[in-house]
């Protein structure tokens, strides 16, 4: 059985099928889940070293619906404030009889590091780790819920041959990276549209096509994933001119029409939180093409499926 959920690179079509089937089953049976107590007796620990609304709350709700016990670790109230190192925190956690830890951290590789330390210090307990976003590296449950939302809106439930366009701050986006690994492995065509300062050759190596012109790049898009500008990760020397960004990259109804997209078919996603009128115009957020609310709701079922996948057989 899999032990951790750290990267979409570790997934394959069979695992994704299993997870999506489970998410569908959980959605259809949501009213009876608390009675079933599928993860009753399991203890989950949420370690969020960075802020979050959607991921943190959806994991907590997912755990409660599955009957698991859920504990929030608050870094500000932890011994981190007394200078305790990440490794020593992991050492302590390894002895606390938890079954699974969910971590968000500003440093890429933090989830892998935690998994390594927990295993090293307590080989018997077999503690699982879920990466809830680490620096600019990966956010695998976000990519999986995006994929679930996309296939739920595909007539034949497949992304094979579909054109997925990712717009914005790719360079600093863990969501973009996890999405590209997953979507490419499942047969989608992926294109990134970004200013030159917000993209790099790394994305071509991952198999994405690049464009710096929004209208041109949007042509033939089936699904558009707009990214948040990761202000907290922009280095001081990065001079972001928001007015120019808005003019060139903010997705508006007018620009979608200029790209000849049919608003009856194209769909729009954003992992949230949205910087309104910078990344997407206000009126598109609740427009019929927007899947943003579906993404948030699907996050609960995808995270339940991932918890079940890691703990349901232990
Ligand atoms: N998409 C996402 O990770 O949102 P939060 O930062 O609110 O969890």
């Amino acid at each position: 059985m899999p032990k951790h959920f750290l990267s979409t690179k570790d997934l394959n079509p069979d695992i994704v099928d299993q997870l999506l089937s489970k998410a569908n089953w959980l959605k259809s049976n949501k009213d009876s889940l608390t009675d079933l107590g599928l993860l009753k007796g399991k203890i989950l620990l949420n370690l969020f070293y960075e802020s979050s609304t959607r991921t943190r709350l959806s994991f907590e709700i997912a755990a409660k619906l599955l009957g698991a016990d859920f504990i929030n670790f608050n870094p500000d109230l932890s011994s981190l404030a007394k200078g305790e190192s990440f490794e020593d925190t992991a050492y302590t956690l390894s002895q606390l009889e938890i079954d699974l830890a969910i971590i968000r951290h500003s440093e890429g590789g933090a989830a892998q590091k935690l998994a390594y330390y927990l295993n090293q210090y307590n080989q018997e307990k077999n503690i699982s780790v879920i990466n809830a976003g680490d620096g600019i590296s990966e956010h695998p449950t976000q990519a999986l819920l995006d994929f679930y939302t996309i296939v739920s809106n595909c007539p034949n439930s497949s992304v094979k041959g579909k054109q997925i366009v990712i717009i914005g701050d790719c360079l600093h986006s863990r969501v973009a990276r996890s999405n590209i690994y997953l979507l490419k492995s499942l047969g989608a065509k992926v294109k990134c549209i970004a200013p030159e300062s917000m993209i790099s050759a790394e994305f071509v190596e991952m198999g994405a096509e690049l464009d710096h012109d929004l209208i041109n790049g949007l042509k033939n898009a089936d699904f558009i994933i707009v990214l948040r500008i990761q202000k907290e990760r922009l280095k001081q020397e990065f001079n972001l001119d928001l007015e120019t960004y808005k003019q060139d990259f903010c997705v508006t109804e007018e620009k979608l029409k200029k790209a000849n997209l049919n608003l009856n078919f194209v769909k729009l996603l954003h992992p949230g939180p949205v910087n309104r009128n910078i990344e997407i115009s206000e009126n598109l957020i609740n427009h019929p093409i927007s899947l943003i609310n579906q993404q948030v709701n699907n996050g609960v079922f995808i995270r339940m499926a991932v918890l079940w996948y890691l703990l349901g057989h232990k």
Side-chain angles (χ1 to χ4, degrees):
M1 279 303 124
K3 191 164 167 159
H4 306 299
F5 199 84
L6 302 176
S7 161
T8 51
K9 285 187 220 165
D10 300 332
L11 302 178
N12 63 43
D14 278 351
I15 299 175
V16 174
D17 260 7
Q18 271 187 59
L19 287 163
L20 265 55
S21 301
K22 195 69 185 177
N24 276 331
W25 184 87
L26 290 160
K27 206 180 227 190
S28 311
N29 292 281
K30 63 180 177 184
D31 295 333
S32 48
L33 290 178
T34 41
D35 294 336
L36 292 173
L38 295 174
L39 294 186
K40 196 168 172 357
K42 302 292 183 196
I43 300 178
L44 317 187
L45 184 66
N46 223 17
L47 291 140
F48 273 56
Y49 289 87
E50 256 194 359
S51 60
S52 164
T53 301
R54 291 148 202 81
T55 315
R56 191 174 61 80
L57 291 177
S58 58
F59 265 120
E60 184 158 0
I61 291 160
K64 283 186 195 303
L65 286 169
L66 292 171
D69 283 311
F70 193 87
I71 295 156
N72 275 303
F73 168 92
N74 182 344
D76 293 338
L77 298 177
S78 77
S79 287
L80 195 72
K82 300 175 197 157
E84 186 169 61
S85 68
F86 185 81
E87 182 172 355
D88 279 341
T89 302
Y91 182 39
T92 304
L93 300 180
S94 74
Q95 305 304 311
L96 286 176
E97 298 297 336
I98 58 169
D99 296 289
L100 179 142
I102 301 157
I103 179 167
R104 169 168 291 192
H105 203 284
S106 57
E107 217 181 88
Q112 274 88 349
K113 238 195 238 178
L114 180 66
Y116 171 79
Y117 289 142
L118 292 179
N119 192 49
Q120 178 100 329
Y121 298 138
N122 190 346
Q123 290 175 12
E124 228 172 87
K125 183 69 188 172
N126 210 18
I127 301 168
S128 294
V129 174
I130 297 177
N131 181 1
D134 60 332
I136 64 167
S137 297
E138 285 227 40
H139 192 351
T141 58
Q142 179 68 45
L144 194 64
L145 77 87
D146 290 346
F147 179 71
Y148 184 44
T149 308
I150 288 171
V151 292
S152 303
N153 286 276
C154 279
N156 61 354
S157 299
S158 166
V159 291
K160 279 210 175 82
K162 295 275 179 227
Q163 179 68 69
I164 318 280
V165 173
I166 300 179
I167 299 173
D169 184 7
C170 296
L171 194 64
H172 304 98
S173 175
R174 52 198 178 202
V175 173
R177 286 177 177 81
S178 283
N179 259 310
I180 296 170
Y181 299 137
L182 185 64
L183 290 165
K184 289 297 297 178
S185 76
L186 297 169
K189 293 186 280 182
V190 180
K191 187 189 289 178
C192 294
I193 308 176
E196 288 196 26
S197 58
M198 288 181 164
I199 194 107
S200 67
E202 177 196 355
F203 290 84
V204 178
E205 282 156 30
M206 286 185 229
E209 210 187 309
L210 304 190
D211 205 316
H212 301 299
D213 182 273
L214 185 67
I215 310 292
N216 187 56
L218 274 171
K219 285 180 182 144
N220 304 319
D222 294 302
F223 291 90
I224 302 167
I225 302 176
V226 184
L227 302 171
R228 183 173 70 83
I229 296 179
Q230 305 276 306
K231 281 192 200 140
E232 69 277 27
R233 296 185 218 290
L234 301 184
K235 297 204 174 90
Q236 266 179 350
E237 63 271 21
F238 194 102
N239 285 321
L240 176 66
D241 176 352
L242 271 187
E243 282 311 312
T244 307
Y245 184 88
K246 271 161 58 176
Q247 203 177 307
D248 295 344
F249 294 98
C250 180
V251 178
T252 64
E253 202 167 335
E254 193 194 348
K255 287 176 186 155
L256 296 179
K257 284 180 182 159
K258 262 194 187 165
N260 289 325
L261 292 177
N262 183 336
L263 298 199
N264 291 317
F265 294 109
V266 71
K267 297 289 178 201
L268 185 70
L269 295 91
H270 190 299
V274 181
N275 289 307
R276 286 167 184 252
N277 297 318
I278 294 175
E279 294 141 9
I280 305 180
S281 64
E282 183 86 32
N283 76 313
L284 282 183
I285 293 170
N286 292 313
H287 190 280
I289 70 164
S290 169
L291 302 180
I292 297 172
N293 285 340
Q294 284 185 39
Q295 285 175 278
V296 175
N297 185 255
N298 283 338
V300 174
F301 300 100
I302 281 294
R303 290 180 172 120
M304 265 198 264
V306 171
L307 292 174
W308 163 84
Y309 172 69
L310 295 174
L311 295 180
H313 314 278
K314 276 187 188 170

